[in-house]
Amino acid sequence: MSFLGLSSRSPFALNAGAAAGVFQVTLGLIGVFRPQVMLQDIWGFKTSTKPGQDQLVIESLMQLYGMRNVALGLMILAVRTFADSRTLAWVLMSDMLVAIGDGFIQKKATGGGEWKHWSFVPVGVGMGMLLLGYFD
């Protein structure tokens, strides 16, 4: 069987992939509806308390980030529902590029906190390998 031909038949693996999608949708909704919570508590940014144009731009960008996560999470759930485990595996593993990028951006902007994002990389790759059938 070729490298790309492996596939898991485990319902646990498929449901774990769906859980990753639900997690991303949840983070995205926090970003959309509670941008200050996402900025301060999750990303660790210190934001200004006085309202102004800069604050509006920052909150708007956080809401864009939230919508990105909602879209990625819904994509994962759609792949879980309508495709096979190989497709879900590669979607989850490619989604780890987002976590890597977010980690570098947070490190640059706040001086730390990159492991809040990078800690998901081995989990995503592991779930991808599980879905590809490497642990069957």
Side-chain angles (χ1 to χ4, degrees):
M1 201 176 295
S2 73
F3 174 71
L4 295 175
L6 293 176
S7 180
S8 176
R9 306 233 188 294
S10 166
F12 170 78
L14 291 169
N15 292 332
V22 170
F23 178 73
Q24 270 206 311
V25 168
T26 303
L27 277 180
L29 291 173
I30 293 170
V32 170
F33 295 111
R34 301 290 308 271
Q36 283 297 326
V37 170
M38 185 67 95
L39 282 165
Q40 294 172 356
D41 297 342
I42 307 232
W43 278 82
F45 284 102
K46 306 294 182 229
T47 58
S48 173
T49 55
K50 64 179 191 178
Q53 185 63 28
D54 289 345
Q55 189 66 23
L56 176 63
V57 169
I58 291 169
E59 286 185 13
S60 297
L61 288 172
M62 192 75 257
Q63 290 173 318
L64 287 171
Y65 166 83
M67 286 307 299
R68 176 199 73 173
N69 276 2
V70 169
L72 287 170
L74 290 175
M75 176 186 61
I76 291 168
L77 291 172
V79 169
R80 162 56 180 103
T81 302
F82 301 113
D84 64 0
S85 65
R86 290 178 302 183
T87 306
L88 181 57
W90 288 106
V91 166
L92 286 172
M93 288 193 293
S94 64
D95 190 33
M96 293 304 100
L97 294 173
V98 173
I100 292 168
D102 287 351
F104 279 115
I105 291 166
Q106 181 161 1
K107 171 82 170 159
K108 177 183 171 188
T110 66
E114 64 274 13
W115 283 102
K116 291 178 185 177
H117 307 277
W118 293 348
S119 62
F120 290 105
V121 173
V123 173
V125 171
M127 284 195 321
M129 292 176 68
L130 178 67
L131 286 160
L132 286 173
Y134 282 98
F135 303 117
D136 282 353

